[in-house]
Amino acid sequence: MSHAAPQPRTFAPTGPLRGTVRVPGDKSISHRSLMLSALAIGESRITGLLEGEDVLSTAAAMRAMGAQIEQTGDGTCIVHGVGVGGLLQPDAALDMGNSGTSTRLLMGLVASHAITATFIGDASLSKRPMGRVIDPLSLTGAEFTASPGGRLPLMVRGICPAVPIRYRLPVASAQVKSAVLLAGLNTPGITEVIEPVPTRDHSERMLAGFGAELTVEVDADGVRHIRLVGEAELKPQQIEVPGDPSSAAFPIVAALITPGSEVTVTHVGMNPTRTGIYKMLEAMGADLTYSNERMVGGEPVADITARHSVLTGIEVPPDVAPSMIDEFPVFFIAASMAQGRTITSGLDELRVKESDRLALMAAGLMAIGAQVEEREDGLVIDGSGGEPLEGGATVASALDHRIAMSFAVAGQHCYRGVTVDDISPIATSFPTFEAMLRELAAG
Ligand code: S3P
């Protein structure tokens, strides 16, 4: 897939950030709500859906496989599903754009249907490893023809009936877990995923919410056993998608690093498998308060208020990584302006996200004057002690929305601002990002 012309943008300090904002719907939950609604028989209604490019790729794919999805433009979606087992053969290749979650989860769905689908994506997605999903799904009897290195473009030849599998995750990945469970939906018998390190559990929560028979047992070693009874019948639902805690991390870190700021982000998902970033920022001395705590659509939600704080460096325990895996780029920005040293390790997975996030963040941070050592599995950062960084450089976003937004946030507290070479990837997860920053700057 070709990519539109790059859109460079300079982010300069705006003074204090103030106000109350709401961030778009959770990306992980948005993908899953479309997929499961498309597999339920009857009409589901989704509100608060993230209408970013990644989720639109999922919607287009589910339409191409027979679901009716009507978007009313304000994050509300009406979906008429085809039923588990009812996915149709798509006429053309499924274009996944930049979205790894769409690709891996849909590969699972296709694997247990008697259809064949080809997956294509942009330059970033076409570099990402799909072998981690091909390996377990091949055990079900589905067949895969991938590009060298197990990459896109690739073709999945699904099988029905597929063989139920019992699979122990070799990497902590919610996408791999979800791909196996989604394949299990249309497979006779029990599909089991064994998860030694917990990852985001939105699939488990939502499958149960749609009426699938799913159990989670934690054994004596703390290992999760997730069992799903196949040939499930999903019942249509009304789903309210909470705000994305990964997106909320951007205005919150921006407020923490910008003197005089006080920002409230409302309606933020507080699922404990996602909140590592907030725990780590608090461990660094961040002034964060939580209010209006409640349950929305089976997920805990709260409003978070962040006030400017001079942070102190910490060593991030590697076992916290899965619960803040997408937040490391903006966390590194916070660390680069903290007092003292921040050490991270166990982050090999960051090298296979939308970009190599360790390499890109290290290069960009050094370019704006931060002190960074790049290690194989993490960064070691010596912070500025709360002082602004020099800035003045142009950093590469490499088709990675979170790299682009992280350096946009850094620009708030750099003497000479920061130029991001291409902000267009931000539209994959946070189309209102720039408007939100402007609103907070206007106070
Ligand atoms: C996601 C899981 C994570 C995360 C990604 C979304 C999901 O990826 O980085 O942005 O929705 O399941 P991994 O499963 O590769 O850890």
Side-chain angles (χ1 to χ4, degrees), residues 18-77:
R18 294 185 165 270
T20 298
V21 289
R22 185 167 164 162
V23 294
D26 188 281
K27 186 151 76 69
S28 294
I29 297 175
S30 294
H31 285 298
R32 288 158 173 80
S33 64
L34 282 173
M35 291 179 197
L36 295 191
S37 298
L39 288 173
I41 296 185
E43 181 179 297
S44 292
R45 184 185 162 87
I46 309 168
T47 51
L49 186 83
L50 164 64
E51 292 179 309
E53 288 169 4
D54 279 12
V55 175
L56 298 181
S57 296
T58 289
M62 297 317 297
R63 280 194 191 103
M65 292 190 283
Q68 279 177 39
I69 302 176
E70 191 193 320
Q71 286 169 262
T72 58
D74 56 354
T76 301
C77 232

Side-chain angles (χ1 to χ4, degrees), residues 182-247:
L182 291 178
L185 270 180
N186 194 39
T187 301
I190 295 174
T191 293
E192 179 174 346
V193 179
I194 302 166
E195 189 178 50
V197 181
T199 64
R200 64 190 69 194
D201 63 356
H202 306 301
S203 295
E204 295 93 304
R205 286 176 190 244
M206 201 179 282
L207 280 164
F210 270 83
E213 274 182 69
L214 178 138
T215 56
V216 180
E217 184 198 321
V218 183
D219 71 18
D221 300 323
V223 175
R224 296 175 84 235
H225 294 252
I226 306 148
R227 297 186 186 94
L228 173 75
V229 179
E231 299 185 305
E233 206 173 297
L234 302 186
K235 302 194 179 52
Q237 301 295 312
Q238 310 268 326
I239 302 164
E240 190 180 341
V241 180
D244 196 323
S246 301
S247 299

Side-chain angles (χ1 to χ4, degrees), residues 12 54 87 189 259 310 356 377 402:
D54 279 12
L87 291 181
V310 176
D356 176 342
D377 68 340
R402 298 197 208 282

